[in-house]
Amino acid sequence: MTKQSSTKAKEYSIFFRIRIFNDSGNFVGRGRIELLENIQIFGSIAKAASEMKMSYRQAWQMVKEMNEITDGPLVEKILGGKGGGGTKVTARGEKVIRVFHEIQDDIDDFAKKIAKKINF
């Protein structure tokens, strides 16, 4: 007679990392979405970059690349004035953020479903 284990079966998870490309190359992934979200919060590429422990130059380059490979900008400069200048995420940029999260949610749901098939 074999001794049966009374321990609970291990649960497994599957995670996917999303990166969206277009004909011009890498468009957005989790890092670029986080950058766009931080620009929304802080109204500044410099502050958004600082929050992410990223150099301003790297953040500015990422924004420049995203703006160049789409049909319209995702981030725009706000000209200075009494309150000073800054940057803002455009309506197109907001849509990119929203759709990215919708895709991520769908993929997370799928990953949970297929993870239930793992039984080692």
Side-chain angles (χ1 to χ4, degrees):
M1 183 173 194
T2 60
K3 186 176 181 182
Q4 290 186 345
S5 175
S6 62
T7 60
K8 183 179 173 192
K10 300 276 186 197
E11 291 185 21
Y12 294 89
S13 300
I14 298 173
F15 296 96
F16 292 96
R17 195 169 171 141
I18 301 169
R19 187 168 283 164
I20 299 173
F21 293 84
N22 69 12
D23 293 344
S24 300
N26 184 22
F27 177 49
V28 293
R30 186 173 45 190
R32 288 183 176 195
I33 292 296
E34 183 180 351
L35 178 61
L36 291 173
E37 291 171 331
N38 281 330
I39 292 170
Q40 279 183 311
I41 293 167
F42 299 108
S44 161
I45 293 174
K47 289 178 185 174
S50 176
E51 180 69 19
M52 296 175 69
K53 312 257 187 292
M54 175 188 298
S55 72
Y56 170 79
R57 180 182 170 96
Q58 182 181 4
W60 183 87
Q61 185 63 37
M62 290 169 76
V63 167
K64 181 177 181 260
E65 288 172 6
M66 286 186 288
N67 280 347
E68 288 176 351
I69 65 174
T70 60
D71 293 332
L74 305 184
V75 176
E76 292 179 329
K77 292 180 184 178
I78 300 171
L79 297 178
K82 185 176 180 181
T87 53
K88 72 171 190 161
V89 175
T90 65
R92 180 182 300 276
E94 290 173 353
K95 182 177 181 180
V96 167
I97 293 168
R98 185 183 74 253
V99 170
F100 183 88
H101 285 298
E102 289 171 359
I103 292 168
Q104 182 70 63
D105 290 346
D106 289 346
I107 289 174
D108 288 346
D109 289 344
F110 174 73
K112 286 176 189 173
K113 179 181 172 184
I114 61 172
K116 291 176 184 177
K117 295 179 180 183
I118 300 173
N119 186 12
F120 300 115

